[in-house]
Amino acid sequence: MSKKVLVFVESKDGKLRNVSFEALTVAKQLAGGGEVIAALFGTGATEFVQEVSQYGSNKVYVLENEALVTYTTDVYTQALCQVIEDLQAEVILMGHTAIGKDVAPRVAARFGAGLASDCIGADLENGDIVFTRPIYAGKAFQKKVFNQGKVFATLRPNNFELKENPVQAEVVPFQPVIKDLRTIVKEIVRKTTGGVDLSEAKVIISGGRGVKSKDGFQPLQELAEVLGGAVGASRGACDADFCDYALQIGQTGKVVTPDLYIACGISGAIQHLAGMSNSKVIVAINKDPEAPIFQVADYGIVGDLFEVVPLLTEEFKKV
Ligand code: FAD
């Protein structure tokens, strides 16, 4: 049975987030021949219409509104609810990003609907929608089957293959009615600036307590720059104040799925693995051959990271 699938498209620093394209690709598949609608929020949203129509959106709802320029839970919840009502959307998808994690449960609750969060798989089976999501810190996988009512899901970034499917999208300008605002954002102060977004990075060079100091992250930063990647960290490194908590990967940090994850001086505690074990290729550099990280690594280098990392940087510079 065909379905009407809405994708809440997110932008960051003037660019659409890759996970939104992944969500559009999944939407096309789940729609089963039905409509795929993208919703773009904020001033300047119209600029992105062409880009989202590359991924099969039949319709693009454009919410050009000053109140939507910066994310606040109140405003986005109201706006998204109104789009869903207007469209009578049956399936609502978004990225498992900071915003997706915040807004999806609120909106789902307002509709009394179910939510599958942090999904790494999405299929249509005999008309039912089946989402797959990791549980118990990634030790097991749960399948959630939806066969009636509205369905909400957040998708883990970097998990779904992108498929371009250019169509001529119908543009629908939409003005949500925003009322009873409790929060107004006056200024955004960023802790980290520039660089590659950790949650969507294709390459991550991660440091643990083995990097020993703030300066110890420098060789990792250099390798990340050469590979066009981002720097991450274990909680051990964050707790030791070698780096900011914004870099923490794991159960209580960010969950990442890069193509290449290089763990430097990280022992491989289960809480760290929960955030990175789905990476496509894992390389571990550790001077302890018994370190548990080697059990999940595709390639292991037993050695001192301060010798190995600069060597890798030099080699990659030659490529
Ligand atoms: P260590 O375990 O101390 O390992 C350091 C490693 O560096 C060692 O294996 C050592 O052999 C190696 N090493 C040292 N020097 C060098 C060198 N020169 N060259 C190469 N290797 C070297 N942790 C997370 O990472 N993310 C989380 O989200 C997280 N959430 C948690 C939630 C809870 C509720 C709890 C209880 C814990 C959580 N932890 C988390 C902490 C986790 O249990 C570990 O304590 C932490 O991951 C250890 O960090 P580490 O591997 O950097 O440090």
Side-chain angles (χ1 to χ4, degrees):
M1 211 171 61
S2 65
K3 298 210 177 336
K4 218 178 227 192
V5 186
L6 172 69
V7 174
F8 164 64
V9 175
E10 250 188 82
S11 62
K12 193 177 175 198
D13 300 331
K15 277 173 69 185
L16 294 184
R17 297 194 73 142
N18 207 44
V19 68
S20 297
F21 299 132
E22 294 179 48
L24 285 166
T25 308
V26 171
K28 189 80 198 154
Q29 180 199 344
L30 297 185
E35 236 181 337
V36 173
I37 308 105
L40 291 166
F41 285 49
T43 55
T46 315
E47 288 170 32
F48 298 125
V49 169
Q50 180 63 23
E51 230 177 316
V52 292
S53 61
Q54 292 303 305
Y55 292 89
S57 321
N58 311 96
K59 234 181 228 171
V60 184
Y61 264 51
V62 179
L63 287 81
E64 287 263 9
N65 191 311
E66 278 293 331
L68 297 166
V69 172
T70 309
Y71 175 81
T72 62
T73 311
D74 269 359
V75 179
Y76 271 58
T77 302
Q78 291 185 40
L80 194 51
C81 285
Q82 289 170 37
V83 174
I84 295 167
E85 284 282 7
D86 192 70
L87 270 169
Q88 290 298 307
E90 295 158 286
V91 183
I92 299 93
L93 304 177
M94 60 192 86
H96 193 69
T97 58
I99 291 179
K101 280 188 256 188
D102 188 51
V103 79
R106 283 170 198 275
V107 179
R110 293 209 178 179
F111 285 98
L115 164 70
S117 73
D118 197 16
C119 300
I120 58 164
D123 295 289
L124 204 52
E125 290 176 14
N126 304 321
D128 295 343
I129 293 184
V130 183
F131 288 111
T132 308
R133 55 188 299 272
I135 52 171
Y136 303 125
K139 286 209 156 229
F141 296 93
Q142 178 187 50
K143 278 189 186 283
K144 279 192 169 246
V145 181
F146 294 86
N147 50 23
Q148 58 179 11
K150 280 198 200 311
V151 180
F152 286 77
T154 61
L155 309 181
R156 186 181 281 193
N158 273 351
N159 262 277
F160 297 89
E161 200 187 323
L162 282 181
K163 275 197 202 121
E164 287 206 19
N165 180 14
V167 287
Q168 190 65 43
E170 178 194 344
V171 179
V172 183
F174 187 82
Q175 277 306 331
V177 180
I178 308 293
K179 51 187 181 190
D180 303 330
L181 276 190
R182 290 175 299 178
T183 326
I184 294 168
V185 177
K186 293 200 159 173
E187 191 189 359
I188 297 175
V189 182
R190 287 181 195 275
K191 261 188 160 180
T192 47
T193 51
V196 181
D197 182 353
L198 193 54
S199 56
E200 291 193 335
K202 297 283 180 207
V203 176
I204 295 177
I205 317 298
S206 220
R209 236 188 307 251
V211 301
K212 297 194 173 65
S213 66
K214 275 192 176 127
D215 291 345
F217 266 92
Q218 191 53 35
L220 277 59
Q221 187 67 52
E222 284 164 22
L223 180 55
E225 272 163 31
V226 170
L227 294 175
V231 171
S234 71
R235 178 157 145 189
C238 300
D239 284 346
D241 203 19
F242 300 162
C243 60
D244 196 278
Y245 279 102
L247 302 191
Q248 185 184 321
I249 290 166
Q251 189 181 327
T252 43
K254 292 196 169 74
V255 175
V256 296
T257 328
D259 292 342
L260 174 64
Y261 187 90
I262 306 184
C264 311
I266 294 178
S267 59
I270 180 73
Q271 295 89 355
H272 186 76
L273 302 187
M276 45 62 76
S277 59
N278 280 339
S279 304
K280 296 181 184 82
V281 175
I282 299 172
V283 177
I285 304 167
N286 198 304
K287 59 182 188 184
D288 174 7
E290 301 297 326
I293 190 79
F294 288 124
Q295 286 166 22
V296 295
D298 299 285
Y299 300 94
I301 303 172
V302 178
D304 186 331
L305 73 93
F306 295 105
E307 288 169 17
V308 177
V309 173
L311 284 176
L312 286 176
T313 307
E314 283 316 306
E315 285 305 310
F316 282 120
K317 272 185 187 166
K318 293 179 194 163
V319 181

